[in-house]
Amino acid sequence: MQAHDLVTVGEWNGQLSRSLRMALRLSIVAFAGKLGIAVRTVSNWEARGLDIVPLPDMQALLDTLLTRADTAARARFIVLCRGQTSIILIRQTPIDTKAAAEGRPRPTQMHVVTGAA
């Protein structure tokens, strides 16, 4: 995983939210605090696992938290989510290494890897 790789989730569920919490190395209380939601909500998600899909506004909060995570946390998230098809890694690779060497903006190719990378 590289710093400019993008990790995204198609649809969050309780199991994925737990994986994010674990990747961030946060307690349920701290995770709920970062999201600005009740501890009971996070506990409910984790208890129901694959059987619960958070509401759209909660999904947006989870998206934001994942986007703001550092590279190491995003890498841990991918490892914890291995095999789940709603995880997408978008790997950006340079297609013009000369431009990169000269410090010019470089176009990239996008490689989408579903499931775990």
Side-chain angles (χ1 to χ4, degrees), residues 2-33:
Q2 300 169 9
H4 55 271
D5 289 344
L6 174 68
V7 181
T8 189
V9 173
E11 183 175 73
W12 288 93
N13 59 48
Q15 185 176 352
L16 290 172
S17 67
R18 182 179 190 281
S19 294
L20 178 58
R21 180 179 68 78
M22 299 300 288
L24 294 170
R25 296 184 172 158
L26 295 173
S27 67
I28 291 176
V29 173
F31 187 68

Side-chain angles (χ1 to χ4, degrees), residues 9 11-28 31-32 35 37 41-50 52-54 58-59 61-63 65-66 77 80-81 84 86-87:
V9 173
E11 183 175 73
W12 288 93
N13 59 48
Q15 185 176 352
L16 290 172
S17 67
R18 182 179 190 281
S19 294
L20 178 58
R21 180 179 68 78
M22 299 300 288
L24 294 170
R25 296 184 172 158
L26 295 173
S27 67
I28 291 176
F31 187 68
L35 292 169
I37 62 175
T41 301
V42 175
S43 295
N44 186 38
W45 290 347
E46 291 192 9
R48 295 190 52 200
L50 296 172
I52 191 166
V53 173
M58 298 294 177
Q59 296 225 12
L61 293 173
L62 291 163
D63 288 340
L65 197 54
L66 176 59
F77 179 71
L80 289 166
C81 295
Q84 296 187 43
S86 62
I87 300 299

Side-chain angles (χ1 to χ4, degrees), residues 36-99:
I37 62 175
V39 173
R40 185 173 177 181
T41 301
V42 175
S43 295
N44 186 38
W45 290 347
E46 291 192 9
R48 295 190 52 200
L50 296 172
D51 295 331
I52 191 166
V53 173
L55 295 171
D57 58 335
M58 298 294 177
Q59 296 225 12
L61 293 173
L62 291 163
D63 288 340
T64 299
L65 197 54
L66 176 59
T67 301
R68 292 181 179 170
D70 63 27
T71 304
R74 285 182 289 154
R76 286 190 299 269
F77 179 71
I78 289 172
V79 169
L80 289 166
C81 295
R82 228 176 249 295
Q84 296 187 43
T85 57
S86 62
I87 300 299
I88 300 169
L89 169 66
I90 301 173
R91 177 153 287 146
Q92 300 180 34
T93 56
I95 58 175
D96 184 352
T97 55
K98 183 178 178 186

